[in-house]
Amino acid sequence: MWGRKTQRFYVNARAIIEREHAGAREVLLQQRAKPGEPRTLELPGGQLDPFEGITQALAREVQEETGLSVTAFLDDLNRTHTVMPGAEVECLTPAFVYQTLRGPVDSVGFFFRVQAAGELTQQGDHAQGHVWVPLTEVRRQLDHDPAGFNWLTQAALRHLFAHAWRDEAAAPDPVLAP
């Protein structure tokens, strides 16, 4: 209409599901199980449906892919909800936002650090092989085998280790410490 090409553009909600276990912080990773795509590790999440709230989409995607229910947000959402004639708008603060500038899909999305409870499924919606991994091991895998993670998860993990998990990223590994 205004000289723009028609293209597919995705808006996503994604979860960094964290827990404390045996004195260490762990994150839930899953293996991508979508036909025609590499079987790489990723963080749960996916596309928003039309007029679906971002946090509702996040909870739905986590449930569909992992079987877990989101129980808490680890960052303050600073949520406001505005209703006016003809419109309803929710504003909130995610852990961080991403935008692909080049890559296999054009997308923008919102990552949220959350806790979740329930029974992990063996296989969810395009996801399988769910595993809790200590942050020190996630960091080691990211440094030594980044191709083991999908491209978006690589970027998200690098962002988290540079910001939200800075202290954990700098902590010496007790096994490798001199």
Side-chain angles (χ1 to χ4, degrees), residues 74-107:
L74 298 176
D75 300 301
D76 187 355
L77 294 181
N78 300 307
R79 189 186 315 245
T80 57
H81 191 102
T82 304
V83 178
M84 62 206 87
E88 185 174 344
V89 178
E90 180 178 56
C91 297
L92 50 85
T93 305
F96 66 94
V97 175
Y98 77 89
Q99 177 186 0
T100 56
L101 302 176
R102 182 176 55 84
V105 296
D106 192 8
S107 65

PDB file of all heavy atoms in Angstrom, residues 74-107:
ATOM      1  N   LEU A  74      10.430 -12.917  37.547  1.00  0.00           N
ATOM      2  CA  LEU A  74      11.578 -12.590  38.383  1.00  0.00           C
ATOM      3  C   LEU A  74      11.971 -11.120  38.301  1.00  0.00           C
ATOM      4  O   LEU A  74      12.798 -10.666  39.078  1.00  0.00           O
ATOM      5  CB  LEU A  74      12.754 -13.492  38.016  1.00  0.00           C
ATOM      6  CG  LEU A  74      12.482 -14.984  38.263  1.00  0.00           C
ATOM      7  CD1 LEU A  74      13.655 -15.829  37.776  1.00  0.00           C
ATOM      8  CD2 LEU A  74      12.185 -15.249  39.723  1.00  0.00           C
ATOM      9  N   ASP A  75      11.410 -10.398  37.362  1.00  0.00           N
ATOM     10  CA  ASP A  75      11.649  -8.962  37.236  1.00  0.00           C
ATOM     11  C   ASP A  75      10.307  -8.247  37.410  1.00  0.00           C
ATOM     12  O   ASP A  75       9.255  -8.788  37.055  1.00  0.00           O
ATOM     13  CB  ASP A  75      12.238  -8.626  35.858  1.00  0.00           C
ATOM     14  CG  ASP A  75      13.563  -9.327  35.612  1.00  0.00           C
ATOM     15  OD1 ASP A  75      14.501  -9.110  36.401  1.00  0.00           O
ATOM     16  OD2 ASP A  75      13.657 -10.092  34.636  1.00  0.00           O
ATOM     17  N   ASP A  76      10.329  -7.028  37.937  1.00  0.00           N
ATOM     18  CA  ASP A  76       9.107  -6.253  38.120  1.00  0.00           C
ATOM     19  C   ASP A  76       8.544  -5.873  36.755  1.00  0.00           C
ATOM     20  O   ASP A  76       9.224  -5.227  35.954  1.00  0.00           O
ATOM     21  CB  ASP A  76       9.415  -4.998  38.940  1.00  0.00           C
ATOM     22  CG  ASP A  76       8.174  -4.216  39.310  1.00  0.00           C
ATOM     23  OD1 ASP A  76       7.055  -4.573  38.871  1.00  0.00           O
ATOM     24  OD2 ASP A  76       8.325  -3.221  40.045  1.00  0.00           O
ATOM     25  N   LEU A  77       7.312  -6.269  36.475  1.00  0.00           N
ATOM     26  CA  LEU A  77       6.700  -5.989  35.180  1.00  0.00           C
ATOM     27  C   LEU A  77       6.251  -4.537  35.027  1.00  0.00           C
ATOM     28  O   LEU A  77       6.005  -4.089  33.912  1.00  0.00           O
ATOM     29  CB  LEU A  77       5.494  -6.909  34.945  1.00  0.00           C
ATOM     30  CG  LEU A  77       5.799  -8.384  34.792  1.00  0.00           C
ATOM     31  CD1 LEU A  77       4.516  -9.163  34.535  1.00  0.00           C
ATOM     32  CD2 LEU A  77       6.799  -8.625  33.688  1.00  0.00           C
ATOM     33  N   ASN A  78       6.108  -3.795  36.127  1.00  0.00           N
ATOM     34  CA  ASN A  78       5.633  -2.403  36.048  1.00  0.00           C
ATOM     35  C   ASN A  78       4.401  -2.292  35.151  1.00  0.00           C
ATOM     36  O   ASN A  78       4.302  -1.424  34.304  1.00  0.00           O
ATOM     37  CB  ASN A  78       6.740  -1.473  35.526  1.00  0.00           C
ATOM     38  CG  ASN A  78       7.946  -1.481  36.423  1.00  0.00           C
ATOM     39  OD1 ASN A  78       7.837  -1.259  37.618  1.00  0.00           O
ATOM     40  ND2 ASN A  78       9.111  -1.766  35.863  1.00  0.00           N
ATOM     41  N   ARG A  79       3.457  -3.172  35.344  1.00  0.00           N
ATOM     42  CA  ARG A  79       2.305  -3.311  34.457  1.00  0.00           C
ATOM     43  C   ARG A  79       1.303  -2.172  34.642  1.00  0.00           C
ATOM     44  O   ARG A  79       0.970  -1.800  35.764  1.00  0.00           O
ATOM     45  CB  ARG A  79       1.634  -4.648  34.737  1.00  0.00           C
ATOM     46  CG  ARG A  79       0.556  -5.034  33.759  1.00  0.00           C
ATOM     47  CD  ARG A  79      -0.185  -6.303  34.165  1.00  0.00           C
ATOM     48  NE  ARG A  79       0.664  -7.374  34.619  1.00  0.00           N
ATOM     49  CZ  ARG A  79       0.814  -8.530  33.997  1.00  0.00           C
ATOM     50  NH1 ARG A  79       0.184  -8.769  32.876  1.00  0.00           N
ATOM     51  NH2 ARG A  79       1.587  -9.461  34.503  1.00  0.00           N
ATOM     52  N   THR A  80       0.834  -1.618  33.529  1.00  0.00           N
ATOM     53  CA  THR A  80      -0.301  -0.694  33.530  1.00  0.00           C
ATOM     54  C   THR A  80      -1.278  -1.172  32.459  1.00  0.00           C
ATOM     55  O   THR A  80      -0.868  -1.724  31.421  1.00  0.00           O
ATOM     56  CB  THR A  80       0.105   0.764  33.236  1.00  0.00           C
ATOM     57  OG1 THR A  80       0.771   0.819  31.978  1.00  0.00           O
ATOM     58  CG2 THR A  80       1.006   1.327  34.316  1.00  0.00           C
ATOM     59  N   HIS A  81      -2.546  -0.970  32.735  1.00  0.00           N
ATOM     60  CA  HIS A  81      -3.603  -1.420  31.835  1.00  0.00           C
ATOM     61  C   HIS A  81      -4.529  -0.231  31.596  1.00  0.00           C
ATOM     62  O   HIS A  81      -5.039   0.359  32.548  1.00  0.00           O
ATOM     63  CB  HIS A  81      -4.361  -2.579  32.501  1.00  0.00           C
ATOM     64  CG  HIS A  81      -5.291  -3.293  31.593  1.00  0.00           C
ATOM     65  ND1 HIS A  81      -4.993  -4.495  31.033  1.00  0.00           N
ATOM     66  CD2 HIS A  81      -6.514  -2.961  31.139  1.00  0.00           C
ATOM     67  CE1 HIS A  81      -5.992  -4.904  30.288  1.00  0.00           C
ATOM     68  NE2 HIS A  81      -6.930  -3.979  30.331  1.00  0.00           N
ATOM     69  N   THR A  82      -4.726   0.126  30.330  1.00  0.00           N
ATOM     70  CA  THR A  82      -5.550   1.282  30.001  1.00  0.00           C
ATOM     71  C   THR A  82      -6.696   0.835  29.100  1.00  0.00           C
ATOM     72  O   THR A  82      -6.468   0.187  28.072  1.00  0.00           O
ATOM     73  CB  THR A  82      -4.722   2.359  29.269  1.00  0.00           C
ATOM     74  OG1 THR A  82      -3.595   2.699  30.086  1.00  0.00           O
ATOM     75  CG2 THR A  82      -5.549   3.586  28.979  1.00  0.00           C
ATOM     76  N   VAL A  83      -7.917   1.185  29.501  1.00  0.00           N
ATOM     77  CA  VAL A  83      -9.105   0.892  28.705  1.00  0.00           C
ATOM     78  C   VAL A  83      -9.729   2.217  28.319  1.00  0.00           C
ATOM     79  O   VAL A  83      -9.902   3.108  29.152  1.00  0.00           O
ATOM     80  CB  VAL A  83     -10.116   0.035  29.510  1.00  0.00           C
ATOM     81  CG1 VAL A  83     -11.368  -0.230  28.684  1.00  0.00           C
ATOM     82  CG2 VAL A  83      -9.469  -1.264  29.962  1.00  0.00           C
ATOM     83  N   MET A  84     -10.029   2.360  27.036  1.00  0.00           N
ATOM     84  CA  MET A  84     -10.660   3.566  26.517  1.00  0.00           C
ATOM     85  C   MET A  84     -11.659   3.152  25.445  1.00  0.00           C
ATOM     86  O   MET A  84     -11.617   2.003  25.007  1.00  0.00           O
ATOM     87  CB  MET A  84      -9.601   4.513  25.968  1.00  0.00           C
ATOM     88  CG  MET A  84      -8.802   3.928  24.808  1.00  0.00           C
ATOM     89  SD  MET A  84      -7.168   4.598  24.598  1.00  0.00           S
ATOM     90  CE  MET A  84      -6.240   3.541  25.689  1.00  0.00           C
ATOM     91  N   PRO A  85     -12.539   4.023  25.022  1.00  0.00           N
ATOM     92  CA  PRO A  85     -13.482   3.636  23.966  1.00  0.00           C
ATOM     93  C   PRO A  85     -12.726   3.159  22.712  1.00  0.00           C
ATOM     94  O   PRO A  85     -11.839   3.834  22.202  1.00  0.00           O
ATOM     95  CB  PRO A  85     -14.255   4.923  23.675  1.00  0.00           C
ATOM     96  CG  PRO A  85     -14.138   5.726  24.929  1.00  0.00           C
ATOM     97  CD  PRO A  85     -12.775   5.386  25.493  1.00  0.00           C
ATOM     98  N   GLY A  86     -13.012   1.941  22.300  1.00  0.00           N
ATOM     99  CA  GLY A  86     -12.435   1.406  21.068  1.00  0.00           C
ATOM    100  C   GLY A  86     -11.057   0.790  21.195  1.00  0.00           C
ATOM    101  O   GLY A  86     -10.505   0.300  20.207  1.00  0.00           O
ATOM    102  N   ALA A  87     -10.458   0.811  22.394  1.00  0.00           N
ATOM    103  CA  ALA A  87      -9.105   0.253  22.524  1.00  0.00           C
ATOM    104  C   ALA A  87      -8.819  -0.164  23.967  1.00  0.00           C
ATOM    105  O   ALA A  87      -9.410   0.372  24.907  1.00  0.00           O
ATOM    106  CB  ALA A  87      -8.061   1.264  22.070  1.00  0.00           C
ATOM    107  N   GLU A  88      -7.917  -1.105  24.090  1.00  0.00           N
ATOM    108  CA  GLU A  88      -7.418  -1.544  25.385  1.00  0.00           C
ATOM    109  C   GLU A  88      -5.929  -1.820  25.189  1.00  0.00           C
ATOM    110  O   GLU A  88      -5.541  -2.501  24.241  1.00  0.00           O
ATOM    111  CB  GLU A  88      -8.148  -2.818  25.807  1.00  0.00           C
ATOM    112  CG  GLU A  88      -7.818  -3.308  27.167  1.00  0.00           C
ATOM    113  CD  GLU A  88      -8.680  -4.488  27.577  1.00  0.00           C
ATOM    114  OE1 GLU A  88      -9.727  -4.756  26.946  1.00  0.00           O
ATOM    115  OE2 GLU A  88      -8.276  -5.156  28.549  1.00  0.00           O
ATOM    116  N   VAL A  89      -5.104  -1.265  26.073  1.00  0.00           N
ATOM    117  CA  VAL A  89      -3.663  -1.369  25.916  1.00  0.00           C
ATOM    118  C   VAL A  89      -3.029  -1.775  27.243  1.00  0.00           C
ATOM    119  O   VAL A  89      -3.369  -1.210  28.293  1.00  0.00           O
ATOM    120  CB  VAL A  89      -3.044  -0.027  25.448  1.00  0.00           C
ATOM    121  CG1 VAL A  89      -1.534  -0.124  25.329  1.00  0.00           C
ATOM    122  CG2 VAL A  89      -3.667   0.419  24.133  1.00  0.00           C
ATOM    123  N   GLU A  90      -2.115  -2.741  27.168  1.00  0.00           N
ATOM    124  CA  GLU A  90      -1.342  -3.131  28.333  1.00  0.00           C
ATOM    125  C   GLU A  90       0.111  -2.737  28.074  1.00  0.00           C
ATOM    126  O   GLU A  90       0.657  -3.028  27.007  1.00  0.00           O
ATOM    127  CB  GLU A  90      -1.436  -4.636  28.564  1.00  0.00           C
ATOM    128  CG  GLU A  90      -0.645  -5.090  29.762  1.00  0.00           C
ATOM    129  CD  GLU A  90      -0.772  -6.571  30.030  1.00  0.00           C
ATOM    130  OE1 GLU A  90      -0.471  -7.369  29.117  1.00  0.00           O
ATOM    131  OE2 GLU A  90      -1.174  -6.923  31.140  1.00  0.00           O
ATOM    132  N   CYS A  91       0.727  -2.084  29.034  1.00  0.00           N
ATOM    133  CA  CYS A  91       2.146  -1.740  28.967  1.00  0.00           C
ATOM    134  C   CYS A  91       2.845  -2.482  30.096  1.00  0.00           C
ATOM    135  O   CYS A  91       2.313  -2.581  31.204  1.00  0.00           O
ATOM    136  CB  CYS A  91       2.353  -0.234  29.128  1.00  0.00           C
ATOM    137  SG  CYS A  91       1.592   0.744  27.824  1.00  0.00           S
ATOM    138  N   LEU A  92       4.034  -3.016  29.816  1.00  0.00           N
ATOM    139  CA  LEU A  92       4.786  -3.730  30.832  1.00  0.00           C
ATOM    140  C   LEU A  92       6.257  -3.720  30.493  1.00  0.00           C
ATOM    141  O   LEU A  92       6.667  -3.346  29.400  1.00  0.00           O
ATOM    142  CB  LEU A  92       4.258  -5.153  31.018  1.00  0.00           C
ATOM    143  CG  LEU A  92       4.073  -6.028  29.787  1.00  0.00           C
ATOM    144  CD1 LEU A  92       5.342  -6.725  29.415  1.00  0.00           C
ATOM    145  CD2 LEU A  92       2.985  -7.038  30.062  1.00  0.00           C
ATOM    146  N   THR A  93       7.043  -4.141  31.465  1.00  0.00           N
ATOM    147  CA  THR A  93       8.489  -4.143  31.324  1.00  0.00           C
ATOM    148  C   THR A  93       9.000  -5.582  31.286  1.00  0.00           C
ATOM    149  O   THR A  93       8.935  -6.281  32.296  1.00  0.00           O
ATOM    150  CB  THR A  93       9.141  -3.401  32.511  1.00  0.00           C
ATOM    151  OG1 THR A  93       8.572  -2.095  32.601  1.00  0.00           O
ATOM    152  CG2 THR A  93      10.649  -3.309  32.337  1.00  0.00           C
ATOM    153  N   PRO A  94       9.488  -6.047  30.137  1.00  0.00           N
ATOM    154  CA  PRO A  94      10.085  -7.390  30.082  1.00  0.00           C
ATOM    155  C   PRO A  94      11.509  -7.361  30.635  1.00  0.00           C
ATOM    156  O   PRO A  94      12.041  -6.302  30.951  1.00  0.00           O
ATOM    157  CB  PRO A  94      10.095  -7.688  28.573  1.00  0.00           C
ATOM    158  CG  PRO A  94      10.217  -6.342  27.933  1.00  0.00           C
ATOM    159  CD  PRO A  94       9.496  -5.375  28.853  1.00  0.00           C
ATOM    160  N   ALA A  95      12.133  -8.540  30.729  1.00  0.00           N
ATOM    161  CA  ALA A  95      13.551  -8.597  31.110  1.00  0.00           C
ATOM    162  C   ALA A  95      14.380  -7.901  30.043  1.00  0.00           C
ATOM    163  O   ALA A  95      15.270  -7.124  30.340  1.00  0.00           O
ATOM    164  CB  ALA A  95      14.006 -10.036  31.300  1.00  0.00           C
ATOM    165  N   PHE A  96      14.085  -8.191  28.780  1.00  0.00           N
ATOM    166  CA  PHE A  96      14.690  -7.490  27.654  1.00  0.00           C
ATOM    167  C   PHE A  96      13.918  -7.763  26.376  1.00  0.00           C
ATOM    168  O   PHE A  96      13.089  -8.665  26.319  1.00  0.00           O
ATOM    169  CB  PHE A  96      16.182  -7.820  27.486  1.00  0.00           C
ATOM    170  CG  PHE A  96      16.480  -9.250  27.099  1.00  0.00           C
ATOM    171  CD1 PHE A  96      16.634  -9.606  25.767  1.00  0.00           C
ATOM    172  CD2 PHE A  96      16.649 -10.221  28.066  1.00  0.00           C
ATOM    173  CE1 PHE A  96      16.920 -10.913  25.419  1.00  0.00           C
ATOM    174  CE2 PHE A  96      16.946 -11.527  27.726  1.00  0.00           C
ATOM    175  CZ  PHE A  96      17.082 -11.874  26.388  1.00  0.00           C
ATOM    176  N   VAL A  97      14.185  -6.954  25.367  1.00  0.00           N
ATOM    177  CA  VAL A  97      13.532  -7.034  24.062  1.00  0.00           C
ATOM    178  C   VAL A  97      14.592  -7.340  23.021  1.00  0.00           C
ATOM    179  O   VAL A  97      15.730  -6.899  23.146  1.00  0.00           O
ATOM    180  CB  VAL A  97      12.853  -5.680  23.720  1.00  0.00           C
ATOM    181  CG1 VAL A  97      12.260  -5.681  22.330  1.00  0.00           C
ATOM    182  CG2 VAL A  97      11.805  -5.338  24.763  1.00  0.00           C
ATOM    183  N   TYR A  98      14.231  -8.105  22.001  1.00  0.00           N
ATOM    184  CA  TYR A  98      15.160  -8.346  20.903  1.00  0.00           C
ATOM    185  C   TYR A  98      14.497  -7.994  19.572  1.00  0.00           C
ATOM    186  O   TYR A  98      13.264  -7.975  19.458  1.00  0.00           O
ATOM    187  CB  TYR A  98      15.648  -9.805  20.874  1.00  0.00           C
ATOM    188  CG  TYR A  98      14.623 -10.759  20.308  1.00  0.00           C
ATOM    189  CD1 TYR A  98      14.563 -11.019  18.929  1.00  0.00           C
ATOM    190  CD2 TYR A  98      13.710 -11.392  21.127  1.00  0.00           C
ATOM    191  CE1 TYR A  98      13.615 -11.870  18.402  1.00  0.00           C
ATOM    192  CE2 TYR A  98      12.768 -12.249  20.610  1.00  0.00           C
ATOM    193  CZ  TYR A  98      12.720 -12.484  19.246  1.00  0.00           C
ATOM    194  OH  TYR A  98      11.774 -13.326  18.717  1.00  0.00           O
ATOM    195  N   GLN A  99      15.320  -7.721  18.581  1.00  0.00           N
ATOM    196  CA  GLN A  99      14.878  -7.522  17.208  1.00  0.00           C
ATOM    197  C   GLN A  99      15.917  -8.159  16.305  1.00  0.00           C
ATOM    198  O   GLN A  99      17.114  -7.908  16.468  1.00  0.00           O
ATOM    199  CB  GLN A  99      14.755  -6.044  16.866  1.00  0.00           C
ATOM    200  CG  GLN A  99      14.375  -5.815  15.416  1.00  0.00           C
ATOM    201  CD  GLN A  99      14.391  -4.343  15.021  1.00  0.00           C
ATOM    202  OE1 GLN A  99      14.692  -3.474  15.837  1.00  0.00           O
ATOM    203  NE2 GLN A  99      14.079  -4.080  13.774  1.00  0.00           N
ATOM    204  N   THR A 100      15.466  -8.970  15.367  1.00  0.00           N
ATOM    205  CA  THR A 100      16.421  -9.525  14.407  1.00  0.00           C
ATOM    206  C   THR A 100      16.703  -8.456  13.361  1.00  0.00           C
ATOM    207  O   THR A 100      15.790  -7.823  12.836  1.00  0.00           O
ATOM    208  CB  THR A 100      15.885 -10.811  13.731  1.00  0.00           C
ATOM    209  OG1 THR A 100      14.632 -10.535  13.116  1.00  0.00           O
ATOM    210  CG2 THR A 100      15.719 -11.931  14.735  1.00  0.00           C
ATOM    211  N   LEU A 101      17.966  -8.238  13.100  1.00  0.00           N
ATOM    212  CA  LEU A 101      18.378  -7.260  12.090  1.00  0.00           C
ATOM    213  C   LEU A 101      18.733  -7.947  10.777  1.00  0.00           C
ATOM    214  O   LEU A 101      18.761  -7.313   9.729  1.00  0.00           O
ATOM    215  CB  LEU A 101      19.576  -6.459  12.610  1.00  0.00           C
ATOM    216  CG  LEU A 101      19.321  -5.718  13.927  1.00  0.00           C
ATOM    217  CD1 LEU A 101      20.597  -5.036  14.410  1.00  0.00           C
ATOM    218  CD2 LEU A 101      18.184  -4.711  13.760  1.00  0.00           C
ATOM    219  N   ARG A 102      19.007  -9.244  10.874  1.00  0.00           N
ATOM    220  CA  ARG A 102      19.299 -10.080   9.715  1.00  0.00           C
ATOM    221  C   ARG A 102      19.187 -11.511  10.208  1.00  0.00           C
ATOM    222  O   ARG A 102      19.522 -11.807  11.348  1.00  0.00           O
ATOM    223  CB  ARG A 102      20.713  -9.806   9.207  1.00  0.00           C
ATOM    224  CG  ARG A 102      21.126 -10.560   7.977  1.00  0.00           C
ATOM    225  CD  ARG A 102      22.518 -10.144   7.495  1.00  0.00           C
ATOM    226  NE  ARG A 102      23.558 -10.266   8.503  1.00  0.00           N
ATOM    227  CZ  ARG A 102      24.213 -11.386   8.774  1.00  0.00           C
ATOM    228  NH1 ARG A 102      23.940 -12.503   8.141  1.00  0.00           N
ATOM    229  NH2 ARG A 102      25.146 -11.407   9.711  1.00  0.00           N
ATOM    230  N   GLY A 103      18.709 -12.402   9.380  1.00  0.00           N
ATOM    231  CA  GLY A 103      18.617 -13.788   9.809  1.00  0.00           C
ATOM    232  C   GLY A 103      17.528 -14.558   9.108  1.00  0.00           C
ATOM    233  O   GLY A 103      16.942 -14.062   8.146  1.00  0.00           O
ATOM    234  N   PRO A 104      17.232 -15.745   9.618  1.00  0.00           N
ATOM    235  CA  PRO A 104      16.278 -16.610   8.944  1.00  0.00           C
ATOM    236  C   PRO A 104      14.832 -16.123   9.021  1.00  0.00           C
ATOM    237  O   PRO A 104      14.021 -16.471   8.169  1.00  0.00           O
ATOM    238  CB  PRO A 104      16.436 -17.957   9.652  1.00  0.00           C
ATOM    239  CG  PRO A 104      17.105 -17.662  10.942  1.00  0.00           C
ATOM    240  CD  PRO A 104      17.873 -16.396  10.758  1.00  0.00           C
ATOM    241  N   VAL A 105      14.479 -15.342  10.051  1.00  0.00           N
ATOM    242  CA  VAL A 105      13.128 -14.776  10.157  1.00  0.00           C
ATOM    243  C   VAL A 105      13.226 -13.348  10.674  1.00  0.00           C
ATOM    244  O   VAL A 105      14.151 -12.996  11.394  1.00  0.00           O
ATOM    245  CB  VAL A 105      12.205 -15.599  11.094  1.00  0.00           C
ATOM    246  CG1 VAL A 105      11.962 -16.988  10.561  1.00  0.00           C
ATOM    247  CG2 VAL A 105      12.751 -15.659  12.500  1.00  0.00           C
ATOM    248  N   ASP A 106      12.255 -12.542  10.271  1.00  0.00           N
ATOM    249  CA  ASP A 106      12.168 -11.159  10.729  1.00  0.00           C
ATOM    250  C   ASP A 106      11.248 -11.148  11.941  1.00  0.00           C
ATOM    251  O   ASP A 106      10.072 -11.512  11.840  1.00  0.00           O
ATOM    252  CB  ASP A 106      11.611 -10.288   9.608  1.00  0.00           C
ATOM    253  CG  ASP A 106      11.757  -8.802   9.880  1.00  0.00           C
ATOM    254  OD1 ASP A 106      12.421  -8.427  10.871  1.00  0.00           O
ATOM    255  OD2 ASP A 106      11.212  -8.004   9.094  1.00  0.00           O
ATOM    256  N   SER A 107      11.794 -10.781  13.093  1.00  0.00           N
ATOM    257  CA  SER A 107      10.979 -10.836  14.296  1.00  0.00           C
ATOM    258  C   SER A 107      11.435  -9.830  15.334  1.00  0.00           C
ATOM    259  O   SER A 107      12.552  -9.328  15.303  1.00  0.00           O
ATOM    260  CB  SER A 107      11.015 -12.247  14.906  1.00  0.00           C
ATOM    261  OG  SER A 107      12.308 -12.576  15.348  1.00  0.00           O
TER     262      SER A 107
END
